[in-house]
Amino acid sequence: ARVMRYEGPFNFSTINNWAIAQLPDQYSHYLLCNNDIEAIKPGWLERMVELGQDPSVGMVGAELLYPDRRSVQHAGVCVGAFGIAEHYGKFLRLPPDRVDISYMGRLIVTHEVAAVTAACLLMRRDAFEEINGFDGTLAVGFGDVDLCFPTLSLGWRVLFCPQAPLLPP
């Protein structure tokens, strides 16, 4: 691990672009992850990387749960819901066995979505480079959602991965 200190006003998009620009060219993918995310199951990263190896996949987003570990915070992003965008499954409480037929099983099956949150997402380096990264004019909100649009428009798929459950604060 290497800690890099960013100097300047907080701008989520600019900070991520800056950090990625510091990396050597040897990486095929970038894992963008908030500094306070907690992994709650082994194998989460391996599953995201497995999905990200498909050349048609531009990015893979994780499942985010609330602290009770059963209520969904993020299961992909629906664009245009409740304003600009909203998380699928937000506040939905999953049963203990995680077998859930609501939303036609969408909360337990890997599937394509319009966008994912950068609280934890894995992105192909070539996709990131081709779209020129985040839009720096989006300093705080929706930069991650906006990152997904050019990725999709260039033909890459965006996937939600429920086998990567994480806890944000």
Side-chain angles (χ1 to χ4, degrees), residues 4 16 34 53 65 72 89-90 104 120 130:
M4 297 182 290
N16 280 290
N34 286 358
Q53 295 301 307
L65 300 173
V72 175
K90 190 171 182 182
M104 297 168 55
C120 183
E130 188 166 348

Side-chain angles (χ1 to χ4, degrees), residues 3-169:
V3 176
M4 297 182 290
R5 304 255 181 236
Y6 176 79
E7 301 293 329
F10 181 82
N11 179 316
F12 183 81
S13 298
T14 300
I15 292 168
N16 280 290
N17 286 339
W18 173 83
I20 288 171
Q22 309 307 306
L23 297 173
D25 290 339
Q26 69 194 42
Y27 300 105
S28 62
H29 291 76
Y30 302 127
L31 179 67
L32 305 175
C33 204
N34 286 358
N35 64 349
D36 49 8
I37 292 288
E38 176 187 346
I40 59 174
K41 274 189 169 177
W44 68 274
L45 182 55
E46 290 83 355
R47 181 61 178 143
M48 290 180 74
V49 170
E50 176 185 14
L51 293 168
Q53 295 301 307
D54 182 328
S56 72
V57 174
M59 60 179 67
V60 180
E63 175 185 62
L64 301 182
L65 300 173
Y66 286 108
D68 69 3
R69 297 176 184 231
R70 288 184 50 207
S71 299
V72 175
Q73 181 185 20
H74 171 269
V77 175
C78 179
V79 177
F82 305 105
I84 297 173
E86 187 56 79
H87 295 174
Y88 283 114
K90 190 171 182 182
F91 302 123
L92 185 67
R93 189 168 168 84
L94 296 171
D97 62 3
R98 293 198 45 93
V99 175
D100 180 14
I101 60 169
S102 65
Y103 296 136
M104 297 168 55
R106 289 181 65 92
L107 299 178
I108 60 171
V109 176
T110 299
H111 62 276
E112 291 186 49
V113 291
V116 292
T117 180
C120 183
L121 79 80
L122 180 78
M123 184 164 189
R124 299 179 65 84
R125 185 183 98 207
D126 52 355
F128 189 86
E129 289 175 353
E130 188 166 348
I131 65 171
N132 295 313
F134 286 91
D135 178 347
T137 64
L138 297 170
V140 179
F142 303 108
D144 48 3
V145 173
D146 181 72
L147 184 71
C148 297
F149 297 153
T151 303
L152 289 167
S153 70
L154 291 174
W156 281 295
R157 297 164 49 215
V158 175
L159 300 180
F160 161 66
C161 177
Q163 296 83 24
L166 304 167
L167 287 179

